[in-house]
Amino acid sequence: MAPLLLQLAVLGAALAAAALILISFVAFITATEIPHLHRHEEEKFFLNARGQREALPSIQDSPTKQLSVVVPSYNEEKRLPVMMDEALGYLEDRQKYGSDKVRVITLVKNRGKGGAIRMGVFSSRGKKILMADADGATKFPDIEKLEKGLNDLQPWPDQMAIACGSRAHLEKESIAQRSYFRTLLMYGFHFLVWFLCVKGIRDTQCGFKLLTREAASRTFSSLHIERWAFDVELLYIAQFFKIPIAEIAVNWTEIEGSKLVPFWSWLQMGKDLLFIRFRYLTGAWRLEQTRKVN
């Protein structure tokens, strides 16, 4: 009996090793360079209040605002107006932010959530850049919590710091409302994030994140993933560059209309996590301390 168990153990280990080698090989040969930020002609401009085309700025320009808010939106005609009313009302009450309202960048093709945010970040004017989801699940006044978390990280190395909104404190409540299958998927995803990519951040996927301009430039200029798992690579890059990160509890409410399909979206993100890890591990993707935005 013992020899049989030993043979099975050896076989299992060999199969696991073969699977890792195969995944590493596939990850390496399918790796692409950092997506070139090619702007179609229509994506270089926005319409100002007079209805005239005006050139978008670059993140390499000096900031002219205290805050830029980047909101990716795809088929959000029902949820976006509610979120924008709340956000603009809050920002206009805070006179230090003021506003020249909204700039809409219409993308010629669907670049994914990460790709859309990347385009918005690279067209931002603020000293700080806030990522926020179109559903308004996180109430906008919680930006004050992120600002405090960001300030508590000072002094910022090379003016770089990130504050991540977090729903981790709501985990027990959310488990009570989820099916066992979705709970299993959630724990599996969190384990893969911790094991493969990002240590010390319990909720990488909350869409409410505040970055200094310098941190946004450094991380987004190295980003490869453009779909749902882009947050994980963003934080992986930040930890590689030793950018300080604060995880801040925020209020969060489930809003109907999510684009995520539970099983397939989690499967896609799981694949992306494996590829993030193995592509950096095999050298197919590299991070350079001196990388600049092209």
Side-chain angles (χ1 to χ4, degrees):
M1 188 67 179
L4 178 60
L5 290 176
L6 180 60
Q7 289 177 354
L8 289 175
V10 171
L11 179 61
L15 289 174
L20 286 175
I21 292 171
L22 179 60
I23 292 172
S24 299
F25 178 71
V26 172
F28 186 84
I29 64 172
T30 59
T32 57
E33 295 293 328
I34 293 174
H36 179 61
L37 193 69
H38 170 71
R39 290 182 187 265
H40 296 274
E41 192 62 28
E42 298 91 329
E43 296 171 344
K44 297 177 182 178
F45 303 91
F46 71 99
L47 293 179
N48 60 26
R50 297 182 298 278
Q52 300 170 334
R53 293 209 314 171
E54 188 174 329
L56 286 162
S58 165
I59 198 169
Q60 294 302 299
D61 300 336
S62 297
T64 57
K65 302 293 178 186
Q66 290 296 318
L67 177 73
S68 289
V69 183
V70 179
V71 184
S73 177
Y74 179 72
N75 291 343
E76 292 286 4
E77 60 273 8
K78 292 182 179 179
R79 302 193 296 178
L80 184 62
V82 178
M83 179 269 177
M84 292 297 291
D85 285 344
E86 182 199 13
L88 289 172
Y90 173 82
L91 291 174
E92 288 173 348
D93 285 342
R94 290 185 62 169
Q95 294 183 3
K96 75 170 187 175
Y97 281 143
S99 171
D100 38 276
K101 302 285 178 150
V102 179
R103 291 182 169 185
V104 178
I105 305 175
T106 303
L107 304 183
V108 172
K109 68 173 185 176
N110 186 348
R111 297 173 182 260
K113 182 181 179 181
I117 291 178
R118 186 168 176 250
M119 181 72 83
V121 165
F122 284 173
S123 304
S124 295
R125 298 170 290 166
K127 291 182 180 178
K128 299 186 183 76
I129 298 172
L130 177 72
M131 296 160 42
D133 286 341
D135 59 6
T138 303
K139 296 306 177 186
F140 217 83
D142 276 3
I143 187 179
E144 296 175 19
K145 298 178 182 178
L146 298 191
E147 288 176 316
K148 182 180 183 306
L150 208 62
N151 289 332
D152 288 345
L153 293 173
Q154 290 185 334
W156 302 329
D158 297 325
Q159 293 300 305
M160 295 189 295
I162 300 173
C164 298
S166 175
R167 304 157 296 180
H169 62 294
L170 303 171
E171 193 170 281
K172 290 183 179 179
E173 179 183 335
S174 66
I175 289 172
Q177 300 172 0
R178 284 193 176 109
S179 67
Y180 288 117
F181 180 64
R182 289 192 67 181
T183 300
L184 182 63
L185 286 177
M186 179 190 72
Y187 277 124
F189 179 76
H190 287 174
F191 172 76
L192 285 177
V193 169
W194 172 83
F195 184 70
L196 296 172
C197 301
V198 177
K199 304 291 194 292
I201 305 295
R202 294 176 63 196
D203 182 8
T204 58
Q205 299 309 110
C206 181
F208 209 61
K209 293 182 175 69
L210 183 66
L211 303 87
T212 63
R213 187 176 185 85
E214 292 76 11
S217 176
R218 176 65 65 88
T219 53
F220 276 94
S221 66
S222 301
L223 193 69
H224 299 82
I225 300 292
E226 294 193 310
R227 303 259 169 208
W228 296 107
F230 83 94
D231 300 82
V232 177
E233 189 191 3
L234 187 78
L235 295 174
Y236 178 91
I237 293 166
Q239 290 188 338
F240 174 85
F241 288 125
K242 295 181 172 53
I243 298 173
I245 303 171
E247 185 173 14
I248 308 298
V250 295
N251 296 306
W252 187 83
T253 307
E254 183 81 46
I255 306 293
E256 293 184 2
S258 173
K259 304 295 188 302
L260 278 173
V261 180
F263 178 74
W264 295 111
S265 296
W266 288 87
L267 193 65
Q268 174 66 43
M269 286 194 286
K271 185 204 79 172
D272 285 343
L273 294 182
L274 286 170
F275 278 15
I276 288 170
R277 180 59 178 166
F278 283 110
R279 282 171 173 164
Y280 280 116
L281 193 64
T282 59
W285 291 350
R286 299 176 185 272
L287 292 171
E288 301 170 11
Q289 293 288 349
T290 57
R291 181 179 294 283
K292 301 288 185 180
V293 176
N294 184 347

